[in-house]
Amino acid sequence: MGTTQPIRCLEDVQKLKDYFLQKNEIRNYAMVTIGLNTALRISDILDLKWRDVYDFEQRAYKNHVSILEKKTQKYNMFVLNKNVIEALDMLKNSLTYITPDYYIVKSRCGFNKPLGRTRAFMIIKQAAEELHIEGKISCHSLRKTFGYQAWKKGAQPSLLMAIYNHSSLEITKRYLAIDQDDKDEIFLNINL
């Protein structure tokens, strides 16, 4: 059994997001967009409520979001980028009514219950299979994709370690899932 992989190809990342838009599954699009852009675990994404990201008095999205991570019990603060705000706005506009206590990624079963982790896994896995995205793709792939793509754009592993709230740089290095192709690219592009 292999470990979950990041989505390495940016075209595949866009295909995954577009998949949900084309099917008019705005909730799933928002869930995936949040995961790809915040490095949150799926349990923390599913636990988000509108009050966490939106200031109802100011009628504006918050600059920074602070959460207590379920797994680590550590606080994590992150900024909402343009893609996340657009996805949240699209979701908010598709809903007839929201309150600060409503979950962002709501289950369609029951009143104001978050989507379950198993269902989130099935949603992402099915999309990845239909799109023929390479690697073992799951909910955790969203978190890993954030780090991998940030690393490819020049983010320092020590900063990613802080973002992930990892206890060691070794854990973060494993998250980046650097393979031989990545190493080859560095050698081929150095040309001193």
Side-chain angles (χ1 to χ4, degrees), residues 28 41 52 64 69 74 78 108-109 120 135 145 156 167 189:
N28 298 343
R41 289 177 185 86
D52 297 322
H64 288 90
E69 293 180 341
K74 295 178 184 175
F78 56 93
R108 292 187 178 107
C109 302
T145 298
Q156 295 300 311
S167 58
N189 289 325

Side-chain angles (χ1 to χ4, degrees), residues 40-49 67-76 103 114-117 143 165:
L40 292 176
R41 289 177 185 86
I42 194 66
S43 57
D44 293 321
I45 294 169
L46 298 177
D47 207 33
L48 286 173
K49 293 187 175 184
I67 64 161
L68 180 65
E69 293 180 341
K70 277 185 154 183
K71 181 178 179 179
T72 64
Q73 291 300 298
K74 295 178 184 175
Y75 280 97
N76 188 354
Y103 286 98
L115 185 69
R117 286 177 52 154
R143 180 171 162 85
N165 260 334

Side-chain angles (χ1 to χ4, degrees), residues 15-142:
K15 280 190 337 190
L16 181 64
K17 290 169 57 180
D18 289 346
Y19 172 88
F20 295 112
L21 283 179
Q22 290 165 358
K23 291 180 149 248
N24 202 30
E25 295 176 2
I26 306 304
R27 176 200 66 185
N28 298 343
Y29 170 76
M31 175 180 69
V32 167
T33 302
I34 292 167
L36 290 167
N37 289 279
T38 65
L40 292 176
R41 289 177 185 86
I42 194 66
S43 57
D44 293 321
I45 294 169
L46 298 177
D47 207 33
L48 286 173
K49 293 187 175 184
W50 282 101
R51 71 170 172 244
D52 297 322
V53 299
Y54 191 76
D55 184 331
F56 281 79
E57 287 181 21
Q58 299 293 320
R59 294 184 171 200
Y61 289 96
K62 294 182 177 181
N63 291 327
H64 288 90
V65 175
S66 181
I67 64 161
L68 180 65
E69 293 180 341
K70 277 185 154 183
K71 181 178 179 179
T72 64
Q73 291 300 298
K74 295 178 184 175
Y75 280 97
N76 188 354
M77 183 182 289
F78 56 93
V79 67
L80 297 177
N81 71 19
K82 177 180 72 90
N83 286 346
V84 173
I85 290 172
E86 286 175 1
L88 287 169
D89 217 35
M90 193 180 299
L91 178 61
K92 188 168 71 71
N93 291 333
S94 75
L95 301 171
T96 52
Y97 182 75
I98 63 168
T99 72
D101 288 325
Y102 276 18
Y103 286 98
I104 293 171
V105 185
K106 266 179 54 169
S107 171
R108 292 187 178 107
C109 302
F111 177 76
N112 194 31
K113 293 187 179 197
L115 185 69
R117 286 177 52 154
T118 302
R119 183 68 187 126
F121 170 80
M122 291 170 32
I123 288 167
I124 292 168
K125 185 161 179 60
Q126 179 182 352
E129 286 174 358
E130 286 184 29
L131 295 169
H132 307 289
I133 296 174
E134 287 187 36
K136 186 176 178 191
I137 305 301
S138 70
C139 297
H140 213 59
S141 296
L142 305 177

